[in-house]
Amino acid sequence: MSDDTPIYEIGETYLLPQGTTVHDITEAVARVTETKAPRGWWICFLPSVSLLGLMTAVIAYLLAMGIGVWGNNAPAYWGWDITNFVWWIGIGHAGTLISAILFLFRQKWRTSINRFAEAMTVMAVLCAAMFPALHTGRPWFDYYLFPIPNQMDMWPNFKSPLMWDVFAVNTYLTISVIFWFVGLIPDFATLRDRSETMLRRRIYGFLALGWRGSHRGWQHYERAYLIFAGISTPLVLSVHSVVSFDFATSVIPGWHTTIFPPYFVAGAVFSGFALVMTMMLIVRAVFGMHNLVNIRHLDLMNKFMLGTSMIVGYAYAMEFFIAWYSGNPYEQWVFLHNRAGFAQLDSLGNWGPLWWSYWAMISCNVLVPQIFWFKKCRTSIPIMFVATILINIGMWFERFVIIVTSLTQDFLPSSWGNFHPTFIDVGLYLGTFGLFLTLFLLFVRWIPMIAIAELKATLPGAHPNLHHHHGEEHDHAHASAEPAPAE
Amino acid sequence: MSDHETTKKEPKVAEKRPALYLAEYETPNAVAKAAMKVRDAGYKSWDCHTPYPLHGLDEAMGLAPTKIGVISFVCGLMGLIGGALLIQYANNWDYPIIIGGKPPGSFPSMVPILFECTVLLTGFGTLFGMLHLLKLPMHNHPIFESDRFAAATDDKYFISIEVADSKFDLTKTRALLESTNPSHLELVQEEVL
């Protein structure tokens, strides 16, 4: 049984430092929620809450004035709002990928980071959902989006990709929350059993649902967890595919392409991994989690980013190839002029006005990750920190480029225009960072940020060795590696 | 009726009765071997309590495979059928709308929503099915009367045998558990209300 063998990471060294015991893991993770917040936490928390305040103010202004305060205008009816929506929802995808897909592939190194990443999924999807909800203009009527009987006696049009999006995003949010919560039940029980105050005991006790670590329970639990991983895997692939249908099913040049679903999914995973890395590097430093999330985990994450960057780079190249190969002049115009900014001057003698955003995207998403070919870069924390931030800037530009360069100059030159963001656009985008970071920081402070039970199960000697019992064996082979759960 | 009220008002001296035996072990191997002994002795209302799922314990305890997959599957199927009926009812029967020249029942446009409905209901089915099989939430259980049991979510491994078991016997069950060399053994009592 593979579960009995010590966890080597790609055959090299132990996943966790040798001699780590089951109790050490409980201590390291639970302690964070039980002691005073380190100063670093406050240094992150105060600006985050300020940004959250900014978001509240901007939304209040937006609701009072209407969405005309955004830069969206003919012909760019979609601007930063949808860019931000796609960007945020992409961020979430890394969480599901780590928690579900890597689980199915039995990648045990994921146990150090899956809880973070799942939390980030939930929070990122919340941030994402806000943009289309506000973009409807009258968010108090957003219930029209759901198939519930309303006073107009009308139903939503289920053939619209925008409706598919409503279903995809809401299902994704719901399933992510459930998956996250199910993973947390045993860990809440750990916190409950360590509580020193009645209040903590009550709250964590309530959340743990009365978990007793019962093996009859674990049996169902493990299978349920596998099923959640099994349904989340196609779900996460579907969500960004459906988001890409919002574009791909239209006739706008630059959007109407069949490569969009896989291209969007790869981009989502790419940017999500980058943000998971950025956050993890901060949290790891603030809470001193260097043993549980070590350089090997970071190295593997960087390899993932290199891989997804190549997929995204291939998609960028393929879009150009198809624009040429299809012989469609509108498609060629969008790519060569609007995006890349060269080849043709438009009728006014201008370069494509947004060429710089295209090249920002290429530099950040395709060129920067190439440094991860080198082990030195994959294991250097300052380098990867800067790289992950650049990657996320690049991925934001990717969505901006797709949306705005296609909309501003499509078929009819007389309807061409440009897009200018307003301070409200900027404020709302920054504000969602406030929401995201505030929720995230509260999470790391009060909820076990590493999956305690799952991580324990990856320790060498964590499982009974019943299959080779030659007489009364007492684990001769494992005795040295055995974490010796208390003596 | 009046009996009940008078007993309630009496100043209560907590009367206790045995609820379960709780044996504590230090290592996964010890608890798994003990589990085999308890299984072979023919107990039914008993359980192991571990900080994380121990692989191989299913077999050691003699548990039948879990049925949760069936629940998830049935719920997923309901989601698929329910989604199809919803779309057909809303866009075809109740208020037909023709979009893009496609017939109301055109299948390709239904695929994304059918998929999402299937996943959503599978998720709900798995969550509630799991809670049902685990009999959770149950915030009150006599096992929590034990002070040592808090370690079950930290680094100790336990076996509990409940009085509800037909084979439970204060002395024989104790002897059985003692023969498995637990590091600690106690009789957990619950208050009689």
Side-chain angles (χ1 to χ4, degrees), chain B residues 2-193:
Chain B
S2 59
D3 277 2
H4 262 286
E5 279 165 22
T6 48
T7 49
K8 261 186 189 169
K9 276 169 194 165
E10 274 173 22
K12 215 161 64 179
V13 186
E15 194 188 326
K16 293 196 167 178
R17 67 171 172 224
L20 48 92
Y21 269 119
L22 188 63
E24 181 180 323
Y25 303 87
E26 299 287 337
T27 62
N29 272 338
V31 76
K33 278 185 204 143
M36 294 201 262
K37 273 196 170 174
V38 178
R39 170 196 71 191
D40 294 340
Y43 284 91
K44 296 276 176 272
S45 288
W46 68 288
D47 213 334
C48 296
H49 304 269
T50 58
Y52 53 85
L54 290 191
H55 294 165
L57 206 53
D58 293 2
E59 203 185 316
M61 288 178 71
L63 298 182
T66 169
K67 297 276 192 301
I68 191 161
V70 180
I71 302 179
S72 306
F73 179 76
V74 170
C75 289
L77 203 59
M78 277 163 51
L80 181 69
I81 296 169
L85 289 176
L86 172 73
I87 297 174
Q88 283 305 304
Y89 175 76
N91 283 177
N92 194 6
W93 301 329
D94 189 48
Y95 196 115
I97 41 178
I98 310 284
I99 300 281
K102 295 180 190 70
S106 92
F107 181 69
S109 71
M110 291 165 67
V111 169
I113 291 185
L114 293 186
F115 173 77
E116 304 298 340
C117 290
T118 310
V119 168
L120 186 66
L121 273 266
T122 310
F124 279 131
T126 311
L127 173 69
F128 292 111
M130 183 191 86
L131 292 179
H132 170 74
L133 292 171
L134 265 70
K135 301 193 183 64
L136 293 181
M138 189 201 301
H139 287 98
N140 204 347
H141 191 279
I143 204 165
F144 293 123
E145 298 291 324
S146 162
D147 293 332
R148 304 183 70 92
F149 187 67
T153 56
D154 182 6
D155 61 349
K156 296 288 195 293
Y157 309 83
F158 292 83
I159 286 184
S160 68
I161 302 183
E162 305 196 357
V163 273
D165 196 297
S166 54
K167 292 198 70 159
F168 186 91
D169 179 277
L170 277 178
T171 48
K172 280 185 199 158
T173 306
R174 181 173 199 102
L176 171 72
L177 286 172
E178 268 169 358
S179 75
T180 63
N181 295 323
S183 58
H184 187 264
L185 176 62
E186 67 179 307
L187 180 64
V188 178
Q189 314 236 33
E190 64 180 330
E191 283 183 16
V192 181
L193 296 176

Side-chain angles (χ1 to χ4, degrees), chain A residues 295-296 298-299 302 372 374-384:
Chain A
I295 205 80
R296 317 203 57 80
L298 304 178
D299 183 17
N302 288 331
F372 290 139
F374 304 101
K375 182 145 188 148
K376 206 166 243 175
C377 298
R378 286 201 308 273
T379 51
S380 153
I381 289 179
I383 289 179
M384 66 177 99

Side-chain angles (χ1 to χ4, degrees), chain A residues 243-324:
Chain A
V243 169
S244 80
F245 291 159
D246 292 344
F247 303 96
T249 57
S250 75
V251 295
I252 305 289
W255 290 7
H256 189 57
T257 65
T258 48
I259 202 177
F260 262 29
Y263 162 28
F264 268 50
V265 171
V269 170
F270 180 45
S271 69
F273 261 78
L275 196 67
V276 168
M277 281 290 272
T278 314
M279 303 297 289
M280 198 158 68
L281 293 174
I282 298 172
V283 169
R284 187 170 168 271
V286 168
F287 290 102
M289 291 282 181
H290 302 76
N291 278 343
L292 300 186
V293 182
N294 57 38
I295 205 80
R296 317 203 57 80
H297 296 111
L298 304 178
D299 183 17
L300 284 168
M301 300 268 290
N302 288 331
K303 286 180 185 165
F304 246 98
M305 279 190 274
L306 177 60
T308 42
S309 146
M310 308 280 275
I311 301 177
V312 170
Y314 171 80
Y316 297 155
M318 196 44 68
E319 281 186 320
F320 267 83
F321 172 75
I322 292 295
W324 166 75

Side-chain angles (χ1 to χ4, degrees), chain A residues 256-481:
Chain A
H256 189 57
T257 65
T258 48
I259 202 177
F260 262 29
Y263 162 28
F264 268 50
V265 171
V269 170
F270 180 45
S271 69
F273 261 78
L275 196 67
V276 168
M277 281 290 272
T278 314
M279 303 297 289
M280 198 158 68
L281 293 174
I282 298 172
V283 169
R284 187 170 168 271
V286 168
F287 290 102
M289 291 282 181
H290 302 76
N291 278 343
L292 300 186
V293 182
N294 57 38
I295 205 80
R296 317 203 57 80
H297 296 111
L298 304 178
D299 183 17
L300 284 168
M301 300 268 290
N302 288 331
K303 286 180 185 165
F304 246 98
M305 279 190 274
L306 177 60
T308 42
S309 146
M310 308 280 275
I311 301 177
V312 170
Y314 171 80
Y316 297 155
M318 196 44 68
E319 281 186 320
F320 267 83
F321 172 75
I322 292 295
W324 166 75
Y325 188 67
S326 66
N328 179 331
Y330 301 107
E331 196 85 4
Q332 288 172 0
W333 176 259
V334 162
F335 281 97
L336 291 176
H337 177 265
N338 296 6
R339 296 200 180 166
F342 50 67
Q344 293 144 301
L345 297 172
D346 67 21
S347 51
L348 305 172
N350 294 325
W351 296 96
L354 293 167
W355 62 271
W356 53 273
S357 57
Y358 183 82
W359 291 105
M361 162 187 117
I362 294 287
S363 335
C364 295
N365 291 351
V366 184
L367 301 181
V368 168
Q370 301 307 319
I371 61 170
F372 290 139
W373 286 105
F374 304 101
K375 182 145 188 148
K376 206 166 243 175
C377 298
R378 286 201 308 273
T379 51
S380 153
I381 289 179
I383 289 179
M384 66 177 99
F385 187 75
V386 173
T388 56
I389 290 176
L390 286 176
I391 287 170
N392 262 313
I393 293 173
M395 284 308 295
W396 188 89
F397 272 116
E398 181 198 296
R399 281 62 179 258
F400 179 76
V401 163
I402 289 173
I403 292 171
V404 175
T405 65
S406 285
L407 282 176
T408 46
Q409 300 190 355
D410 55 5
F411 301 103
L412 194 62
S414 64
S415 63
W416 286 359
N418 208 342
F419 172 82
H420 301 284
T422 64
F423 283 115
I424 301 301
D425 280 311
V426 181
L428 190 58
Y429 181 50
L430 291 179
T432 48
F433 275 97
L435 176 66
F436 178 81
L437 292 171
T438 305
L439 290 173
F440 185 78
L441 288 163
L442 290 174
F443 151 74
V444 294
R445 182 80 185 85
W446 299 112
I447 292 177
M449 67 167 119
I450 290 180
I452 304 176
E454 281 185 60
L455 195 56
K456 285 175 181 169
T458 65
L459 283 176
H463 296 282
N465 190 7
L466 300 168
H467 285 274
H468 355 258
H469 43 123
H470 311 290
E472 282 297 299
E473 106 282 1
H474 253 292
D475 248 11
H476 310 292
H478 281 190
S480 55

